[in-house]
């Protein structure tokens, strides 16, 4: 994967090209809902969508935004991180998340945080063992 590059996705066409990968994590979204939400988040919430591209194909995507809270200070919240199922265990997620870390540091931010579904035990091992993340809280959700 020495030829892999990381690129921000901005146009509708670029964002839609990432949909098949994002769909592997966000299974509840159809293509139009995905596009609408990404565009709204980019406009209103400073959401960034980056892709790891290897040999012309998107193999992983990361969506994140800058946040400010009293708990974490100024930081990046990783909303979405997914590697194509056929490209897992090749260092794609590590490369893309390391890019997010560098991006955050370049912005003068203090940390990077994310949540991960309770059932995603392999992802938890990746974050804790490979990427040196600490489990610091639970995330709770109330449906309205």
């Amino acid at each position: 994967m020495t030829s892999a590059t990381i690129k921000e996705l901005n146009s509708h066409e670029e964002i839609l090209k990432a949909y098949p990968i994002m769909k592997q994590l966000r299974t509840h979204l159809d293509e139009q809902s995905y596009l609408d939400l990404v565009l709204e988040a980019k406009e209103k919430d400073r959401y960034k969508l980056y892709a790891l591209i290897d040999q012309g194909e998107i193999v992983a995507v990361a969506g994140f935004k800058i946040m400010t809270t009293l708990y974490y200070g100024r930081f990046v919240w990783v909303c979405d991180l997914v590697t194509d199922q056929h490209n897992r265990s090749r260092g794609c997620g590590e490369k893309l998340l390391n890019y997010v870390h560098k991006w955050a540091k370049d912005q003068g931010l203090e940390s990077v945080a994310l949540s991960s579904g309770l059932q995603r035990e392999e992802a938890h091992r990746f974050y804790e063992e490979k990427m040196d993340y600490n489990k610091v809280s639970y995330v709770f959700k109330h449906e309205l």
Side-chain angles (χ1 to χ4, degrees), residues 63-111:
F64 59 91
K65 62 185 178 177
I66 295 175
M67 292 183 67
T68 304
T69 66
L70 298 178
Y71 183 66
Y72 288 131
R74 293 187 73 236
F75 67 102
V76 162
W77 180 259
V78 178
C79 307
D80 313 288
L81 178 66
V82 58
T83 298
D84 176 61
Q85 62 190 357
H86 303 295
N87 288 285
R88 295 198 180 128
S89 300
R90 292 184 47 225
C92 299
E94 180 179 8
K95 185 169 187 161
L96 197 48
L97 196 51
N98 278 329
Y99 181 87
V100 173
H101 293 171
K102 182 184 179 322
W103 186 94
K105 192 172 184 176
D106 290 348
Q107 303 302 310
L109 303 174
E110 299 170 14
S111 61

Side-chain angles (χ1 to χ4, degrees), residues 4-114:
T5 58
I6 295 173
K7 178 184 187 326
E8 185 172 7
L9 307 179
N10 286 307
S11 72
H12 290 204
E13 182 181 326
E14 290 173 333
I15 293 166
L16 285 171
K17 282 185 181 177
Y19 175 73
I21 306 300
M22 188 68 79
K23 176 75 172 167
Q24 293 174 32
L25 178 65
R26 306 293 179 220
T27 57
H28 63 288
L29 293 177
D30 62 38
E31 189 175 68
Q32 189 61 53
S33 297
Y34 157 78
L35 178 63
D36 292 345
L37 287 169
V38 169
L39 293 175
E40 180 178 340
K42 286 174 80 57
E43 178 186 338
K44 295 181 179 178
D45 217 14
R46 301 184 295 178
Y47 180 84
K48 306 275 187 193
L49 183 61
Y50 279 80
L52 179 65
I53 301 168
D54 188 28
Q55 298 179 16
E57 297 294 323
I58 295 175
V59 295
V61 293
F64 59 91
K65 62 185 178 177
I66 295 175
M67 292 183 67
T68 304
T69 66
L70 298 178
Y71 183 66
Y72 288 131
R74 293 187 73 236
F75 67 102
V76 162
W77 180 259
V78 178
C79 307
D80 313 288
L81 178 66
V82 58
T83 298
D84 176 61
Q85 62 190 357
H86 303 295
N87 288 285
R88 295 198 180 128
S89 300
R90 292 184 47 225
C92 299
E94 180 179 8
K95 185 169 187 161
L96 197 48
L97 196 51
N98 278 329
Y99 181 87
V100 173
H101 293 171
K102 182 184 179 322
W103 186 94
K105 192 172 184 176
D106 290 348
Q107 303 302 310
L109 303 174
E110 299 170 14
S111 61
V112 175
L114 54 85

